[in-house]
């Protein structure tokens, strides 16, 4: 099984200054649903790991969150895409939980649920805390220059080099950068194809 972990707000859908608190406020980013469909077609199963402190702060309730995700799943299905599960932290920052990113709890829950090593699960998101949590759990990390990281577009290269380290000193080493979710999927599928071509074909009779 190939499993990949995405952030939600700012990665799959437009983020807001406060919270996405209702289905009407959930709006997919251009090309994001289609990017998930291409992942699925490439044999990848996709799960979300998302902080939803609006629950703990009383900004919306579970019925609203379920309605938001029902809309998300409908739109994904219409694009020929599927997300396997949504793992979310409902706590406010002052609750001191172990699942609110940048803590790695959500990623550890995903590893336990699916019985897979986290080192084999790429994680992509637009927020520094997402990639920090992923790195703490042992996942390969990818930062998307959308949402909270959109201001970095055009200012850094595509890997965690010295220029990037100066702008984001807390970014985990080895994190790769991509313009958006679609660009990340392009890179991932091309990387897989190149790796497959590099595997030598056994000689007949061996």
């Amino acid at each position: 099984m190939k499993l990949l972990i995405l952030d939600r707000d700012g990665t799959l859908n437009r983020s807001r200054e406060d919270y996405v608190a209702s289905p009407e406020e959930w709006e997919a980013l251009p090309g994001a649903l289609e990017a998930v469909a291409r992942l699925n077609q490439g044999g990848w199963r996709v799960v979300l790991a998302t902080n939803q402190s609006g629950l703990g702060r009383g900004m919306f309730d579970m019925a609203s969150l379920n309605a938001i995700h029902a809309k998300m799943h409908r739109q994904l299905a219409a694009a020929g895409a599927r997300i396997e599960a949504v793992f979310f932290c409902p706590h406010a920052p002052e609750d001191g939980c172990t699942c609110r990113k940048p803590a790695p709890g959500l990623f550890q829950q995903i590893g336990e649920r699916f019985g897979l090593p986290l080192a084999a699960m790429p994680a992509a998101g637009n927020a520094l805390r997402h990639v920090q949590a992923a790195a703490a759990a042992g996942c390969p990390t990818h930062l998307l220059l959308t949402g909270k990281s959109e201001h970095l577009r055009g200012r850094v290269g595509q890997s965690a080099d010295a220029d990037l380290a100066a702008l984001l000193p807390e970014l985990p080493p080895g994190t790769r950068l991509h313009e958006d979710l679609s660009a990340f999927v392009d890179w991932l599928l091309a990387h897989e194809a190149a790796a497959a071509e590099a595997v030598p074909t056994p000689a007949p009779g061996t």
Side-chain angles (χ1 to χ4, degrees), residues 81-111:
R82 174 183 171 84
I83 284 176
E84 301 292 326
V86 180
F87 290 74
F88 65 91
C89 170
H91 304 109
E94 60 270 20
D95 291 336
C97 66
T98 60
C99 54
R100 178 175 168 80
K101 298 181 288 185
L106 287 180
F107 295 83
Q108 293 165 345
Q109 291 175 27
I110 292 168

Side-chain angles (χ1 to χ4, degrees), residues 5 11 21-22 25 49-50 65 86 99 102 105 118 125 127 140 144-145 156 175 183-184 192 195 200-201 204-205:
I5 305 171
T11 293
S22 69
E25 294 175 351
T50 176
L65 185 63
V86 180
C99 54
L118 287 160
L144 310 183
L145 303 184
V156 295
T175 300
F184 164 65
E192 273 195 304
T201 303

Side-chain angles (χ1 to χ4, degrees), residues 3-171:
L3 193 71
L4 187 145
I5 305 171
L6 296 180
D7 197 4
R8 197 194 78 175
D9 300 335
T11 293
L12 190 63
N13 58 279
R14 295 190 188 279
S15 56
R16 295 172 57 90
E17 290 294 326
D18 47 9
Y19 303 98
V20 176
S22 69
E24 293 74 24
E25 294 175 351
W26 194 92
E27 180 184 359
L29 285 169
L33 304 182
E34 293 78 9
V36 175
R38 290 193 291 124
L39 284 170
N40 296 155
Q41 292 160 10
W44 287 92
R45 298 172 72 177
V46 179
V47 299
L48 298 186
T50 176
N51 286 351
Q52 293 298 321
S53 66
L55 284 169
R57 298 173 192 264
M59 305 301 295
F60 53 87
D61 58 17
M62 273 303 305
S64 297
L65 185 63
N66 289 337
I68 290 167
H69 288 154
K71 177 181 179 179
M72 177 189 75
H73 287 302
R74 287 195 302 270
Q75 292 195 1
L76 283 161
R82 174 183 171 84
I83 284 176
E84 301 292 326
V86 180
F87 290 74
F88 65 91
C89 170
H91 304 109
E94 60 270 20
D95 291 336
C97 66
T98 60
C99 54
R100 178 175 168 80
K101 298 181 288 185
L106 287 180
F107 295 83
Q108 293 165 345
Q109 291 175 27
I110 292 168
E112 291 169 4
R113 173 78 63 85
F114 288 91
L116 295 173
L118 287 160
M121 296 185 203
N126 71 101
L128 179 60
R129 64 191 176 194
H130 182 86
V131 294
Q132 288 174 325
C139 299
T141 51
H142 300 264
L143 182 67
L144 310 183
L145 303 184
T146 53
K148 290 181 173 60
S149 297
E150 189 169 8
H151 65 286
L152 294 172
R153 284 192 176 190
R155 298 183 62 192
V156 295
Q158 294 303 301
S159 63
D161 55 20
D163 182 30
L164 177 57
L167 288 170
L168 285 175
E170 296 179 336
L171 190 69

